[in-house]
Amino acid sequence: MATAPTRFRHARLYLTFRCNSRCGYCNVWQDPVFDGHRELTADGLRRCLEELAELGVTYLDITGGEPSLHRELVTAVRHARDLGMTVELTTNAIRFAPQAAEIVPLVDTLNISLDTLSAERYHRIRGTDTLDRTLTLVEKLRADGADNLKLICVVTDQNAAELQDVVAYAQQHEVDIYLAPMFDYFAAQSEVRPAGSVRMLKLAAVNGRSDATAPAQAPRKVPSSLLLRKVAEQRYERRTVVNLAFLHHLRTLDPATVTACGAGSRILTIGPDGRVMLPCYHDWDASLAWERPYRELVRDPELIRVRDEEVGHRPACRTCAVFPYLGLPMSHRLTTPFLLQAFSRELDRLKPYAEAMTPERRAVLLERSDAVLAEVERVSAPLRPGQHLDELYHFEAEDGGVRTGLAAEPVTVEELLADHAHDDCWRVQRSPHRIVRLLYSEIVPALADDRQADLPRASALIEEVLDVQLDCWSILLSPLPAGGAPDTAARQRLARWCDRAGRALRGRPGASALALLASLSTLPAADIASWGSPRGHAEEPLAVKLLRSLAGPERRTELACLFSPELVPALVGEPVAARTPAAGPVPTPEEARGGREPERFAAALRHADTEALRAAVRRWKAAADPATARHIERRLLLAELGVPPA
């Protein structure tokens, strides 16, 4: 059992339980457990947020109930922003308009619920006749230049037929829309009930355990495969957000398995009076009163017990699909959902560069991506999560190295520590996203500058970038143990695109990143050298490391002219000379994580057993400093490649 709290970077603040909507798929307005709760004053909110910041929270999700019913909503948003937090706010828009001018500039994302464009259907779903207010607010904010809006559309059998209309509305007004297939928010809720109906659902008493004598609830339902497919087919629509990891979770829900959830470990749930809700808002039957600072409450034995023994294990947890609690842990577990989430994020970042596409073009992309996503699921199926919240993946000591599910052979301790220098999986070295992200972070933005100058060549290249993403994933999945040989056809297609893009970017920003990507293709090194080189790029050492798995000896020798001289021996496979360890005590995990001889610390762990290795990694993670993570990671990667420290 884990006993230490993990680092809380996210908090969900339920500002109020009051709501002026009567949604049939929610019971916050129906269950008396939510009635009559004291709400924080302006001073209380400021203190609550300051304590969350001291705990390490940098991302705040303000929700409810309906947050606009709280008279101090502006105070909460402004103070969170002053503390440097990223703020997300969700509203039904019924009475949000008077506060919008003050609040919208302060939040990073404003979520507005919009399930339908039909006033009649809106009333049936939400129990109010206020659709016109929502549409007016969206259009007014967009006219005023707000670019941080996101529509949340809960997709059910009731509104699936008009999904295209809602998406078209979002596209017309240039607003992102998140498509969420309906799932059970609360136990005993398995359908959209008639608006205004009241059914006592499942919550027992605040701070009291559920009644063990209560009759068993009916099994909870998940969306049909047809509904999930309808949502998935929208992934290439402009301005739509479809989280493929969420769809995978709904499709594979199994009540016999434990659900990975961030409640009490990654996400702290705060009630209207400042209490810590246990385990979460959706299965809440206990709480810790806010009588001590949050930094003490997260160490409370009851919170730790609930987190370690109940979260993910309760019957309600095993059929849960509340994505705010489930999505974050996916970033801390390198398994199939993380890779699908990474693919989705890339797609969302690349789509804005592509113009609206024809139905034929969309059909081709859907067919191609279906095949790639199936391969992602197949190749990643053997990946196992870590045994501890602070382990990004399963690992065991073996033969002077580390056995993981990420490579056929043992990897180095340096790689293990480099991966765990970061809080989550987004910079794990063997995740395809680590390299593919160069498309949206450097390469396509540089091409987009050319398109702004009305260069037809740049426009054509950008139109093909969604195919390029698929080719990159096909190539970069191959180093995983179940991946097989690199996809030759994908490498050839990538070569042709990189050659054309390279001539467009010769000597300009983005050329170095493109050269790195081109090295993974079949493009001759001489052609790459004519317009760029990966020398000096931040990911150059990682590219060298990946090429040792992706390319044969002849190809690596050919590419050597493109890379920095100190990296060439590692690229072509020359043996790395063993270094004589320095005299003196080995640095502790905390000292090494702070920058004192991390290379020596890694070397000392090469012959540690599994338990000692896990203990060292947990201490290493506990000492993490995001500001220095990339520097430490780079030092360890260069040490692994045999490059002497500077």
Side-chain angles (χ1 to χ4, degrees):
M1 177 193 301
T3 56
T6 56
R7 289 161 297 287
F8 289 95
R9 303 286 186 244
H10 289 60
R12 303 200 84 200
L13 173 58
Y14 287 84
L15 202 60
T16 178
F17 288 148
R18 294 176 290 135
C19 192
N20 50 6
S21 189
R22 295 292 180 262
C23 300
Y25 50 74
C26 177
N27 81 338
V28 70
W29 57 276
Q30 301 180 66
D31 198 307
V33 75
F34 292 108
D35 293 343
H37 288 275
R38 182 175 62 86
E39 296 175 2
L40 294 175
T41 63
D43 288 342
L45 282 167
R46 291 189 190 97
R47 185 164 65 90
C48 166
L49 294 169
E50 287 164 5
E51 289 191 11
L52 289 174
E54 290 174 4
L55 185 63
V57 169
T58 58
Y59 196 102
L60 182 70
D61 182 1
I62 298 179
T63 184
E66 170 50 42
S68 65
L69 297 180
H70 196 294
R71 65 177 62 190
E72 298 296 344
L73 173 59
V74 175
T75 299
V77 170
R78 188 179 302 279
H79 199 60
R81 190 58 178 255
D82 289 344
L83 291 168
M85 293 181 180
T86 297
V87 182
E88 182 169 350
L89 173 66
T90 301
T91 178
N92 59 27
I94 291 176
R95 57 169 290 178
F96 185 75
Q99 305 153 304
E102 283 188 273
I103 290 176
V104 172
L106 297 174
V107 300
D108 296 89
T109 305
L110 177 67
N111 299 317
I112 300 176
S113 302
L114 181 65
D115 305 327
T116 176
L117 299 179
S118 162
E120 179 185 355
R121 187 173 289 113
Y122 185 93
H123 178 82
R124 287 206 306 268
I125 294 173
R126 294 190 171 269
T128 64
D129 294 312
T130 57
L131 174 62
D132 58 323
R133 297 189 192 181
T134 300
L135 301 181
T136 299
L137 177 65
V138 170
E139 292 160 24
K140 172 67 164 59
L141 292 175
R142 286 298 296 130
D144 291 343
D147 60 359
N148 56 347
L149 310 183
K150 182 171 71 177
L151 303 180
I152 305 291
C153 178
V154 177
V155 185
T156 71
D157 291 332
Q158 287 183 310
N159 66 350
E162 63 171 311
L163 189 56
Q164 283 296 139
D165 294 336
V166 179
V167 168
Y169 176 85
Q171 293 171 340
Q172 176 188 352
H173 295 285
E174 296 296 324
V175 181
D176 289 344
I177 183 166
Y178 176 70
L179 304 180
M182 196 191 102
F183 51 88
D184 285 2
Y185 277 91
F186 297 91
Q189 171 253 307
S190 60
E191 59 190 10
V192 176
R193 298 181 296 280
S197 68
V198 176
R199 179 189 297 179
M200 294 305 153
L201 298 181
K202 70 120 200 118
L203 291 180
V206 182
N207 287 325
R209 291 291 164 201
S210 300
D211 185 358
T213 65
Q217 305 291 352
R220 301 168 83 182
K221 294 182 180 178
V222 296
S224 67
S225 57
L226 178 60
L227 188 65
L228 293 178
R229 182 63 194 173
K230 284 184 177 179
V231 173
E233 287 175 348
Q234 303 299 314
R235 63 183 178 270
Y236 282 104
E237 283 284 358
R238 192 170 57 88
R239 285 289 186 175
T240 58
V241 180
V242 175
N243 193 311
L244 297 168
F246 183 24
L247 302 187
H248 175 269
H249 175 77
L250 291 170
R251 180 163 43 85
T252 59
L253 257 180
D254 180 2
T257 62
V258 175
T259 299
C261 176
S265 58
R266 305 290 176 193
I267 304 172
L268 201 62
T269 304
I270 307 298
D273 59 357
R275 74 179 67 202
V276 175
M277 302 169 69
L278 299 179
C280 70
Y281 165 76
H282 291 87
D283 202 40
W284 168 48
D285 58 17
S287 64
L288 299 176
W290 186 33
E291 297 169 345
R292 292 168 287 159
Y294 292 129
R295 65 177 179 274
E296 295 182 17
L297 288 180
V298 298
R299 297 178 181 275
D300 188 283
E302 179 63 3
L303 182 146
I304 293 172
R305 187 196 67 77
V306 170
R307 183 197 71 194
D308 292 345
E309 298 179 11
E310 297 186 11
V311 170
H313 296 264
R314 292 183 174 201
C317 297
R318 291 171 182 252
T319 53
C320 178
V322 182
F323 206 67
Y325 289 104
L326 304 181
L328 187 60
M330 290 179 182
S331 293
H332 296 262
R333 296 157 54 94
L334 211 165
T335 54
T336 300
F338 170 75
L339 294 178
L340 294 174
Q341 189 156 261
F343 185 96
S344 296
R345 179 179 291 188
E346 288 170 12
L347 189 54
D348 291 338
R349 297 289 293 272
L350 290 169
K351 276 193 304 185
Y353 290 103
E355 300 295 336
M357 60 186 71
T358 65
E360 293 76 17
R361 168 75 172 138
R362 187 180 302 109
V364 170
L365 283 170
L366 285 171
E367 183 178 4
R368 283 204 64 205
S369 63
D370 279 346
V372 171
L373 292 169
E375 184 68 0
V376 170
E377 294 195 33
R378 184 191 70 80
V379 170
S380 63
L383 297 180
R384 298 162 58 190
Q387 294 190 356
H388 184 275
L389 287 166
D390 282 344
E391 296 172 7
L392 301 179
Y393 45 76
H394 179 81
F395 61 87
E396 298 176 357
E398 181 176 318
D399 299 333
V402 184
R403 174 69 65 180
T404 75
L406 299 173
E409 302 298 325
V411 304
T412 64
V413 174
E414 285 83 357
E415 177 177 326
L416 178 72
L417 294 177
D419 285 347
H420 287 81
H422 302 279
D423 191 45
D424 53 36
C425 294
W426 288 98
R427 286 188 63 83
V428 167
Q429 294 177 3
R430 295 177 188 266
S431 168
H433 174 78
R434 177 70 181 268
I435 294 297
V436 183
R437 64 182 292 275
L438 296 176
L439 282 172
Y440 67 74
S441 63
E442 298 183 46
I443 298 168
V444 177
L447 290 169
D449 287 343
D450 278 351
R451 185 168 68 179
Q452 296 302 317
D454 294 327
L455 296 180
R457 180 170 57 183
S459 294
L461 288 164
I462 291 173
E463 287 305 306
E464 297 172 30
V465 74
L466 298 177
D467 289 292
V468 175
Q469 182 208 16
L470 296 173
D471 287 330
C472 288
W473 274 81
S474 295
I475 294 166
L476 289 164
L477 285 171
S478 61
L480 294 176
D487 186 331
T488 301
R491 293 179 67 215
Q492 291 171 343
R493 287 191 297 267
L494 179 61
R496 290 192 291 270
W497 186 85
C498 287
D499 186 41
R500 292 159 53 216
R503 283 182 267 124
L505 292 180
R506 181 183 286 111
R508 299 183 48 233
S512 179
L514 182 66
L516 189 153
L517 201 64
S519 71
L520 309 179
S521 74
T522 58
L523 190 63
D527 291 355
I528 301 172
S530 69
W531 46 258
S533 165
R535 290 186 185 183
H537 192 280
E539 299 289 24
E540 182 190 10
L542 179 59
V544 167
K545 176 176 176 174
L546 294 177
L547 283 167
R548 296 196 298 184
S549 299
L550 288 165
E554 291 184 6
R555 173 63 173 169
R556 286 186 275 120
T557 300
E558 177 199 354
L559 292 170
C561 64
L562 299 175
F563 289 88
S564 300
E566 64 271 20
L567 292 170
V568 169
L571 176 65
V572 300
E574 294 180 8
V576 177
R579 295 190 198 141
T580 303
V586 174
T588 65
E590 294 78 10
E591 291 170 338
R593 186 61 189 79
R596 180 185 163 191
E597 300 182 282
E599 305 88 350
R600 188 159 170 244
F601 171 67
L605 287 173
R606 284 184 191 137
H607 299 289
D609 61 25
T610 298
E611 289 308 310
L613 190 60
R614 286 183 177 148
V617 167
R618 292 172 194 175
R619 286 179 60 184
W620 169 266
K621 283 276 287 182
D625 178 0
T628 62
R630 295 197 181 197
H631 172 67
I632 295 296
E633 177 209 335
R634 182 177 178 84
R635 284 182 60 173
L636 290 167
L637 178 53
L638 291 174
E640 179 184 355
L641 296 175
V643 178

